[in-house]
């Protein structure tokens, strides 16, 4: 097909096994096809949640009621959060790129448990469908915010239970994916690939998988407790029933803070693959990056209290959580320095994936430093639960995880689809996205410091300028999304054929044809050296 | 527009300035370095990449320097905060009561104000009570915020240092009208405050009807007015004895607002829903109001009719 070096071969896209056509996708156990199915679901849900986000931005363009009622607005920020967090940012990177590339990067034919992998996908789909159902059945769209804080979530007359069930099922899908990856990484590495010869994206997935497996059950049981509270009136959290509302917040954040690292670690892993390839130079500080992933995953378990600095928690625990929050910043900083140094001295080709990765560093730095503002108790008192927090986590999640995803899709697109996208459109979309993003979220830092709370349907007139700039930024961002997705979708089938190794990468995915054959490797490769070996100077391969 | 107006502002703002300064230096510095690298090491024929893989010295440097900086940030953040939990012994006490969706400030002896009126330069401890869900009391100009959680005895304190009106907002999402849960901190010179307090005390002690007090304390006025204004729910003005268009199930019917209608509206609000209003907003007061209370309320509602 698209490749000369392996004579006749059938790509995973054309492969016909026991099932053909659509069934060949719906019943597939091929990690690559499952990865693509996740990709398509994520795109659909992302647009749903993004449009809801835009509608909220339009509502906020002027104080008072603009296009919707307060109840509608409250429902919208709830479902926006639920979809974005539970259906997109938590599962997306492990499920899409992890599924597609983890086995290839470690030289395996599939994940350890292919059927379980398909099962995770269906759990994901069922969970997402429950989320959608919650909007249309019975008592109206849930209006609790994605955080489901009790007592309000125990009392609201809306469909809170559907949303809780959705999050619960999605959590299960995440646990199973994590488990699958841990076993895959332990058991399936190609001969010769010792732990320290493994590329860094699999390493980041490994750190992530442990969080998925260890932290997710806590939120699962917590959400079940809220359901029990609503249905059976048990009284775990609702003080009207003798429960403790602050206990809920602890349990919720014990998971949901580490969940931030479920989102960002694989994102960091992706850009760690991109910098060496486009600089034609080994990763700077392989071991430092690797251990910083593990350190983030580990320390990340002990900082949840920084979401609760104003919840009346004890003096001592405010000290403890603030201190550890500052510590967890160090490994992230170390990564930034190493990425930048990876480019230094290289032979840099500023292709779209690299441009996205550089935007990622910039946005992630802003997100990181504003995170420190939130970790410092005095400043958190001022900006907690304001627009500042909204801006901060969008910088981390969208600017960080989102832009890394865009970098990743532009990096691996030729491999996944065997086609090239249009470079001019890719550059255009990245720049439009970058400008729109900053216009959308940067004003919200300022609004937050000035005292504009989050989750506000209405606001004081002095905040309008910032809100208007933000809304305009939202439209620019959306235009960027359309250009990017349009470019990729159009060229996934119609682009020029991609060579096996368009960027002259050295990790294993570039050693096999584009798109890969059904079983990835004809012969399992023998690994004899470190992952990022570009050869020295003159014997550099040329494109 | 935004300046600190309490004793807490200085410590908080110092932490902001320190963190943002370090951030600016790093973000600008690293960005410039990246741009330089991109230009200087752009791919050219005959200029291969240099193949180096790391440096222990650099790794140590860029672990230790950030570590020192974040510890300094921690220090500024902590010292700006420390004081916030140490209320001076001579602070005056006010209790802020949060309920969906209004604030009320209790000065003791049943004296309740919709605004937090305080004398300048005097320490005040605000005790935080919620009667329903979580709220959070936020006064941006004072740099104070603490959550108001049912069943918990949280507090905050500060010394206002400027005379004027300052916004009070709710910053913990609390349902439908969360964004309207606003009030004001009104800071007065001591003499003005004393004057205000005298009239406040006189008016608060003035005998309000029992029914009015009961409804105020139960929180009915967050959604109902007595002057004809339409809030979340219909106004009580002229309600008693009037003809009401209600939805019973899907059927539209008209009934007279008599004693049993009022009682039913309080105990089963969703049974007959007043046309033009939404179901599910008012909760049942079955476990909260006794029959005698409902009678008191009904008697008061009757008087609203005569006033007309
Ligand atoms: Cu509130």
């Amino acid at each position: 097909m698209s490749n000369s070096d392996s004579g006749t071969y059938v790509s995973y896209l054309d492969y016909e096994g026991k099932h053909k056509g659509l069934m060949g996708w719906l019943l597939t156990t091929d990690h690559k096809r499952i990865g693509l199915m996740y990709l398509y679901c994520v795109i659909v849900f992302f647009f749903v949640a993004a449009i809801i986000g835009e509608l909220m931005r339009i509502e906020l363009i002027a104080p008072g009621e603009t296009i919707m009622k307060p109840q509608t607005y409250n429902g919208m920020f709830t479902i926006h959060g639920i979809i974005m967090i539970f259906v997109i940012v938590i599962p997306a990177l492990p499920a899409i790129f992890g599924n597609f590339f983890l086995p290839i990067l470690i030289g395996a034919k599939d994940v350890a448990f292919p059927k379980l992998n398909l099962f995770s996908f269906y759990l994901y789909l069922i969970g997402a469908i429950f989320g959608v159902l919650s909007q249309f059945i019975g008592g109206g769209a849930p209006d609790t915010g994605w955080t489901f804080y009790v007592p309000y979530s125990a009392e609201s007359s809306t469909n809170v239970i559907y949303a809780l069930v959705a999050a619960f099922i999605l959590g299960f899908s995440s646990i199973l994916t994590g488990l699958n990856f841990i076993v895959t990484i332990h058991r399936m590495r190609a001969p010769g690939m010792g732990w320290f010869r493994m590329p860094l994206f699999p390493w980041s997935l490994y750190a992530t998988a442990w969080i998925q497996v260890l932290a997710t059950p806590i939120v699962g049981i917590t959400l079940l407790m809220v359901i029990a509270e609503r249905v059976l009136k048990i009284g775990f959290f609702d003080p009207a029933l003798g429960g403790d509302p602050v206990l809920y917040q602890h349990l919720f954040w014990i998971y949901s803070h580490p969940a931030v690292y479920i989102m960002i670690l694989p994102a960091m892993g992706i850009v760690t693959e991109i910098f060496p390839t486009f600089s034609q130079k080994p990763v700077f500080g392989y071991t430092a990056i690797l251990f910083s992933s593990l350190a983030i995953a580990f320390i990340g378990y002990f900082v949840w209290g920084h979401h609760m600095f104003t919840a009346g928690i004890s003096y001592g625990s405010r000290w403890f959580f603030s201190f550890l929050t500052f510590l967890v910043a160090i490994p992230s900083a170390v990564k930034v320095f190493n990425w930048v140094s990876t480019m230094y001295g290289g032979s840099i080709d500023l292709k779209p994936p690299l441009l996205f990765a550089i935007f990622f560093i910039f946005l992630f730095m802003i997100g990181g430093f504003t995170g420190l503002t939130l970790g410092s108790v005095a400043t958190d008192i001022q900006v907690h639960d304001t627009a500042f927090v909204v801006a901060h986590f969008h910088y981390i999640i969208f600017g960080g995880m989102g832009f890394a995803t865009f970098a990743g899709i532009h990096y691996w697109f030729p491999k996944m689809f065997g086609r090239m996208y249009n470079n001019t459109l890719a550059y255009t979309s990245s720049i439009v996205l970058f400008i729109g993003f900053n216009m959308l979220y940067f004003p919200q830092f300022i609004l937050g410091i000035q005292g504009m709370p989050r989750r506000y349907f209405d606001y004081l007139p002095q905040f309008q300028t910032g809100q208007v700039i933000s809304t305009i930024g939202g439209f620019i961002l959306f235009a960027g999304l359309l250009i990017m997705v349009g470019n990729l979708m159009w060229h996934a089938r119609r682009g020029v054929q991609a060579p096996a190794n368009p960027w002259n990468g050295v990790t294993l995915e570039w050693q096999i044809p584009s798109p890969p054959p059904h079983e990835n490797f004809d012969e399992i490769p023998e690994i004899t050296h470190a992952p990022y070996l570009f050869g020295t100077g003159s014997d550099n391969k040329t494109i | 527009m935004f300046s600190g107006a309490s004793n807490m502002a200085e410590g908080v703002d110092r932490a902001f300035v320190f963190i943002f300064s370090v951030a600016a230096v790093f973000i600008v510095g690293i960005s410039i370095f990246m741009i330089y690298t991109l230009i200087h090491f752009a791919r050219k024929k005959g200029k291969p990449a240099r193949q180096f893989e790391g440096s222990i010295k650099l790794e140590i440097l860029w672990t230790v320097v950030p570590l020192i900086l974040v510890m300094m940030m921690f220090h500024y953040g902590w010292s700006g905060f420390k004081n916030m939990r140490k209320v001076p012994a001579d602070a005056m006490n006010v209790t802020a009561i949060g309920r969906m969706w209004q604030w009320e400030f209790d000065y003791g002896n049943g004296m309740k104000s919709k605004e937090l009126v305080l004398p300048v330069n005097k320490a005040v401890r605000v005790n935080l009570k919620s009667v329903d869900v979580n709220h959070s009391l936020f006064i941006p100009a004072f740099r104070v915020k603490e959550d108001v959680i049912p069943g918990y005895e949280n507090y905050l304190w500060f010394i206002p240092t400027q005379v004027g009106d300052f916004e009070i907002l709710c910053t913990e999402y609390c349902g439908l009208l969360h964004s309207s849960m606003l009030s004001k901190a009104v800071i007065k010179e001591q003499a003005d405050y004393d004057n205000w307090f005298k009239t406040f005390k006189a008016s608060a002690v003035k005998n309000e009807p029992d029914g009015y007090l009961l409804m105020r304390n139960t929180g009915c006025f967050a959604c109902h007015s007595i002057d004809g204004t339409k809030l979340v729910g219909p106004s009580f003005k002229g309600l008693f004895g009037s003809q009401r268009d209600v939805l019973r199930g899907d059927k539209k019917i008209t009934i007279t607002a008599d004693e049993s209608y009022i009682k039913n509206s309080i105990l089963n609000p969703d049974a007959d829903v007043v046309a033009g209003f939404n179901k599910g907003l008012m909760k049942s007061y079955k476990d909260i109001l006794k029959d005698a209370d409902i009678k008191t309320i009904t008697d008061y509602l009757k008087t609203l009719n005569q006033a007309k």
Side-chain angles (χ1 to χ4, degrees):
Chain A
M1 282 228 15
S2 56
N3 242 274
S4 47
D5 52 335
S6 61
T8 51
Y9 90 101
V10 180
S11 88
Y12 79 102
L13 293 169
D14 302 322
Y15 175 80
E16 292 198 338
K18 225 178 5 192
H19 306 283
K20 302 198 181 3
L22 187 62
M23 280 299 142
W25 284 85
L26 296 179
L27 297 176
T28 184
T29 53
D30 179 350
H31 64 101
K32 299 181 288 301
R33 286 192 169 199
I34 293 176
L36 278 200
M37 292 200 291
Y38 274 115
L39 174 66
Y40 297 137
C41 291
V42 164
I43 293 176
V44 170
F45 281 107
F46 177 74
F47 269 97
V48 171
I51 288 168
I52 290 172
E54 292 297 332
L55 291 174
M56 288 191 287
R57 282 305 336 154
I58 297 173
E59 169 56 42
L60 291 177
I61 203 164
E65 187 178 319
T66 315
I67 55 165
M68 61 179 86
K69 300 257 177 239
Q71 185 66 26
T72 315
Y73 181 83
N74 295 348
M76 283 204 168
F77 73 66
T78 302
I79 194 66
H80 172 82
I82 292 175
I83 295 183
M84 285 296 192
I85 300 280
F86 293 111
V87 184
I88 296 167
V89 294
I90 292 179
L93 290 181
I96 300 169
F97 296 124
N99 262 318
F100 202 107
F101 288 104
L102 171 66
I104 302 180
L105 280 166
I106 62 172
K109 295 196 163 171
D110 207 323
V111 292
F113 308 114
K115 285 185 184 142
L116 188 67
N117 202 13
L118 184 63
F119 181 61
S120 304
F121 172 74
Y122 280 106
L123 279 182
Y124 168 83
L125 207 57
I126 293 169
I129 288 170
F130 260 92
V132 173
L133 279 184
S134 74
Q135 299 300 299
F136 300 111
I137 304 189
D143 63 345
T144 60
W146 76 276
T147 46
F148 302 113
Y149 269 21
V150 186
Y152 188 68
S153 64
E155 289 171 10
S156 166
S157 61
T158 57
N159 284 328
V160 179
I161 292 184
Y162 281 91
L164 290 167
V165 170
F168 180 80
I169 297 175
L170 288 162
F172 249 90
S173 162
S174 180
I175 295 173
L176 295 179
T177 301
L179 198 66
N180 213 339
F181 285 2
I182 291 175
V183 179
T184 306
I185 291 172
H186 272 271
R187 310 290 304 167
M188 316 262 296
R189 279 169 292 134
M193 184 179 279
W195 283 98
F196 296 103
R197 284 184 182 167
M198 188 161 75
L200 288 164
F201 180 55
W203 261 114
S204 72
L205 287 171
Y206 184 69
T208 307
W210 277 110
I211 309 178
Q212 290 176 294
V213 170
L214 293 180
T216 318
I218 300 171
V219 80
I221 194 80
T222 309
L223 299 178
L224 285 188
M225 285 161 87
V226 178
I227 295 177
E229 183 115 353
R230 283 182 69 97
V231 179
L232 307 171
K233 304 277 173 232
I234 292 191
F236 295 115
F237 307 124
D238 187 350
L241 305 168
D244 180 346
V246 176
L247 175 64
Y248 173 81
Q249 300 185 18
H250 277 292
L251 290 173
F252 181 80
W253 290 113
I254 285 176
Y255 164 74
S256 297
H257 189 77
V260 176
Y261 300 114
I262 299 183
M263 310 162 191
I264 200 70
L265 278 171
M268 293 167 154
I270 289 177
V271 297
T272 309
E273 299 294 327
I274 289 175
F275 289 115
T277 299
F278 292 95
S279 314
Q280 291 293 299
K281 180 172 165 291
V283 165
F284 191 93
Y286 173 93
T287 339
I289 292 187
L290 183 172
F291 282 108
S292 60
S293 290
L294 297 179
I296 289 173
F298 181 74
I299 308 174
Y301 279 109
F302 306 103
V303 301
W304 77 84
H306 65 214
H307 295 270
M308 302 166 59
F309 282 151
T310 65
I313 60 173
S314 74
Y315 195 65
S317 61
R318 296 190 208 212
W319 191 96
F320 174 81
F321 285 122
S322 174
F323 184 80
L324 287 173
T325 302
F326 279 104
L327 285 191
V328 85
I330 302 294
S332 299
V334 167
K335 279 180 191 277
V336 169
F337 290 120
N338 281 295
W339 292 325
V340 174
S341 308
T342 300
M343 289 190 283
Y344 188 85
S347 164
I348 302 174
D349 190 9
L350 189 57
K351 284 269 154 46
L354 184 62
L355 186 60
F356 272 114
I358 284 167
F359 287 155
F360 160 88
I361 292 192
F362 181 81
L363 301 175
F364 180 71
M365 284 194 295
I366 295 181
F369 275 108
T370 51
L372 292 176
T373 315
L374 293 163
S376 137
V377 192
T379 47
D380 181 71
I381 298 285
Q382 177 72 2
V383 289
H384 176 72
D385 260 333
T386 67
F388 188 94
V389 176
V390 177
H392 156 71
F393 68 70
H394 280 92
Y395 264 84
I396 291 288
I397 298 179
F398 195 166
M401 184 272 184
F403 273 71
T405 309
F406 302 158
I409 190 81
H410 284 87
Y411 181 51
W412 280 316
F413 182 90
K415 181 59 56 185
M416 298 169 84
F417 298 97
R419 306 272 169 171
M420 299 301 285
Y421 46 80
N422 177 305
N423 263 337
T424 316
L425 284 175
Y427 285 125
T428 313
S429 64
S430 69
I431 290 164
V432 174
L433 281 167
F434 182 73
I435 294 170
F437 179 90
N438 284 299
M439 261 180 82
L440 169 54
Y441 295 112
F442 201 85
Q444 298 191 21
F445 283 125
I446 296 161
L447 290 174
I449 296 175
Q450 291 174 334
M452 165 80 211
R454 68 191 281 205
R455 295 176 171 175
Y456 259 36
F457 162 77
D458 190 5
Y459 54 86
L460 299 167
Q462 66 260 40
F463 297 128
Q464 194 176 0
T465 315
Q467 298 285 10
V468 170
I469 299 175
S470 183
T471 301
I472 296 171
F475 283 110
I476 299 177
L477 179 83
F478 201 78
L481 286 175
L482 291 179
I483 302 173
M484 180 183 74
V485 174
N487 181 23
L488 295 177
M489 302 246 282
W490 178 263
H491 291 99
R493 285 165 165 274
R494 299 176 193 82
V496 285
Q497 292 204 341
N501 192 357
W503 319 122
N504 201 22
V506 291
T507 36
L508 287 174
E509 79 272 38
W510 305 114
Q511 321 298 321
I512 58 174
S514 305
H518 176 59
E519 294 211 305
N520 304 341
F521 303 95
D522 294 340
E523 244 170 87
I524 295 295
E526 277 270 345
I527 309 299
T528 55
H529 54 74
Y532 304 102
L533 202 65
F534 284 85
T536 45
S538 56
D539 65 31
N540 249 350
K541 288 162 271 179
T542 43
I543 301 173
Chain B
M1 174 212 124
F2 190 70
S3 57
S6 88
N7 63 323
M8 302 300 174
E10 196 192 331
V12 173
D13 291 357
R14 195 187 300 135
F16 268 123
V17 169
F18 181 75
I19 297 175
F20 288 158
S21 311
V22 174
V25 169
F26 272 83
I27 294 171
V28 172
I30 292 177
S31 301
I32 291 176
F33 183 79
M34 283 197 295
I35 293 170
Y36 164 80
T37 306
L38 286 179
I39 295 171
H40 194 259
F41 296 100
R43 187 165 297 177
K44 278 194 207 86
K45 269 222 163 66
K47 195 178 168 204
R50 284 150 58 191
Q51 303 297 319
F52 51 84
E53 302 196 330
S55 149
I56 303 277
K57 270 189 214 145
L58 279 175
E59 298 292 347
I60 292 173
L61 180 75
W62 61 50
T63 306
V64 172
V65 172
L67 187 65
I68 295 169
L69 287 173
V70 296
M71 284 302 112
M72 288 172 70
M73 290 180 190
F74 169 71
H75 166 78
Y76 278 110
W78 186 253
S79 45
F81 165 75
K82 248 184 344 200
N83 204 15
M84 292 188 189
R85 301 314 275 172
K86 296 185 181 147
V87 191
D90 62 347
M92 67 180 274
N93 267 274
V94 179
T95 300
I97 300 168
R99 63 162 58 94
M100 293 151 122
W101 296 280
Q102 62 180 207
W103 294 107
E104 208 169 36
F105 301 93
D106 186 345
Y107 288 72
N109 300 324
M111 294 189 293
K112 290 184 182 168
S113 161
K114 293 263 176 263
E115 294 179 339
L116 179 60
V117 184
L118 296 170
V120 70
N121 292 328
K122 229 175 122 185
V124 55
R125 175 188 165 116
V126 183
N127 301 300
L128 305 170
K129 271 217 175 72
S130 165
V131 297
D132 39 46
V133 300
N134 298 346
H135 304 278
S136 186
L137 187 85
F138 180 30
I139 314 178
F142 295 171
R143 313 287 193 273
V144 292
K145 174 190 296 146
E146 281 293 325
D147 294 359
V148 185
I149 299 174
Y152 272 77
E153 302 208 332
N154 202 359
Y155 63 91
L156 54 81
W157 83 276
F158 55 88
I159 305 174
T161 54
Q162 279 176 28
V163 172
D165 289 3
F166 303 95
E167 264 111 26
I168 295 178
L169 305 130
C170 175
T171 45
E172 183 65 67
Y173 174 66
C174 57
L176 185 69
L177 297 185
H178 171 50
S179 59
S180 315
M181 191 164 159
L182 310 177
S183 178
K184 272 197 165 53
V186 180
I187 310 300
K188 295 177 185 289
E189 296 291 356
Q190 185 70 47
D192 296 343
Y193 173 79
D194 291 340
N195 275 336
W196 171 83
F197 195 74
K198 233 178 277 157
T199 31
F200 171 55
K201 198 165 166 183
S203 71
V205 175
K206 177 190 88 185
N207 275 336
E208 296 282 6
D210 289 348
Y212 175 84
L213 290 176
L214 184 59
M215 283 205 276
R216 194 184 70 182
N217 292 339
T218 325
C220 311
F221 296 143
C223 305
H224 297 283
S225 77
I226 51 170
D227 60 3
T229 323
K230 182 177 152 184
L231 301 174
V232 176
S235 175
F236 289 147
K237 187 175 173 189
L239 165 65
F240 193 83
S242 68
Q243 296 294 310
R244 315 299 295 161
D245 290 335
V246 299
L247 280 178
R248 178 174 290 175
D250 292 330
K251 264 210 313 276
K252 206 166 182 166
I253 56 171
T254 304
I255 49 180
T256 310
D258 53 11
E259 264 112 358
S260 74
Y261 170 79
I262 302 281
K263 184 167 174 181
N264 195 37
S265 295
I266 296 173
L267 298 182
N268 304 304
D270 290 343
D272 289 337
V273 179
V274 184
F277 292 89
N278 287 327
K279 199 174 151 165
L281 292 173
M282 179 170 161
K283 62 176 183 189
S284 165
Y285 285 83
K286 211 171 265 159
D287 306 324
I288 300 166
L289 296 174
K290 311 221 165 21
D291 278 358
D293 296 332
I294 293 176
K295 171 123 195 1
T296 316
I297 290 175
T298 314
D299 288 346
Y300 173 68
L301 292 181
K302 288 179 189 165
T303 66
L304 287 178
N305 240 14
Q306 290 145 12
K308 188 172 62 162

